[in-house]
């Protein structure tokens, strides 16, 4: 499994074929869908951009006739990583209607939730998406910190500056 790519991306060919096979049987297909990789150290999550990937996956699931989801993502249970509130708001809306523009959904939430800081949070999320897409290493299920190659010193510096401005 490659958490850095959609179901249709590199490293996920087996999962895509399995999903197509189940969908072709004409029954009710439900997914347990992990949105981010997990490692053995729950406090050690590093950020990964995934909104564009999720929107693409949900559109694929709709085309293949998937009827329901158990979406597992960081919901801020232990600590809130990955802008958990934003994700918790956007994900069910994509499930209900995957044809919505994910950027518009994110913008709606960020303006209401973050107020004047919305543009910086959206900019950070956009930077994270771009950095994640630029990584050629497959993001596996149980990654080490070294697998998060998109989290570079330059990325962290820019993110810190965005969060300072947001604050």
């Amino acid at each position: 499994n490659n958490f850095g790519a959609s179901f249709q991306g590199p490293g996920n060919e087996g999962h895509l074929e399995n999903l197509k096979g189940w969908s072709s049987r004409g029954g009710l297909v439900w997914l347990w869908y992990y949105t981010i990789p997990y490692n053995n150290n729950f406090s050690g999550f590093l950020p990964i951009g995934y909104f564009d990937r999720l929107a693409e996956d949900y559109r694929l699931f709709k085309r293949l006739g998937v009827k329901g989801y158990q979406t597992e993502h960081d919901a801020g249970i232990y600590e809130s990583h990955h802008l958990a509130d934003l994700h918790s708001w956007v994900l069910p809306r994509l499930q209900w209607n995957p044809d919505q523009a994910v950027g518009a959904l994110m913008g709606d939430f960020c303006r209401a939730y973050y107020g004047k800081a919305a543009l910086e949070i959206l900019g950070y999320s956009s930077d994270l998406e771009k950095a994640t897409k630029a990584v050629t290493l497959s993001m596996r299920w149980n990654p080490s910190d070294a697998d998060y190659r998109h989290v570079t010193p330059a990325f962290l510096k820019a993110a810190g500056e965005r969060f300072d401005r947001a604050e």
Side-chain angles (χ1 to χ4, degrees), residues 40-122:
N40 293 327
N41 177 7
F42 281 96
S43 65
F45 291 128
L46 290 170
I48 182 171
Y50 73 174
F51 280 112
D52 292 341
R53 171 176 55 90
L54 297 181
E56 182 179 334
D57 283 350
Y58 286 124
R59 287 189 296 271
L60 170 71
F61 301 158
K62 179 182 175 182
R63 283 193 310 273
L64 293 177
V66 173
K67 301 298 182 197
Y69 312 93
Q70 165 59 41
T71 301
E72 187 166 327
H73 72 104
D74 174 32
I77 296 170
Y78 300 107
E79 295 178 35
S80 184
H81 302 281
H82 308 289
L83 302 174
D85 295 329
L86 172 61
H87 292 187
S88 294
W89 193 85
V90 169
L91 292 176
R93 282 154 183 81
L94 285 176
Q95 292 172 346
W96 294 325
N97 179 4
D99 297 319
Q100 297 179 80
V102 69
L105 291 172
M106 293 171 67
D108 289 346
F109 178 85
C110 285
R111 282 187 295 280
Y113 191 80
Y114 295 108
K116 293 178 183 177
L119 290 178
E120 294 300 338
I121 300 301
L122 288 166

Side-chain angles (χ1 to χ4, degrees), residues 5-32:
S6 72
F7 257 66
Q8 300 174 88
N12 293 324
E13 297 85 358
H15 295 295
L16 177 59
E17 290 308 311
N18 286 339
L19 180 57
K20 286 180 178 178
W22 280 104
S23 295
S24 71
R25 289 178 167 64
L28 292 176
V29 176
W30 286 64
L31 295 177
W32 190 297

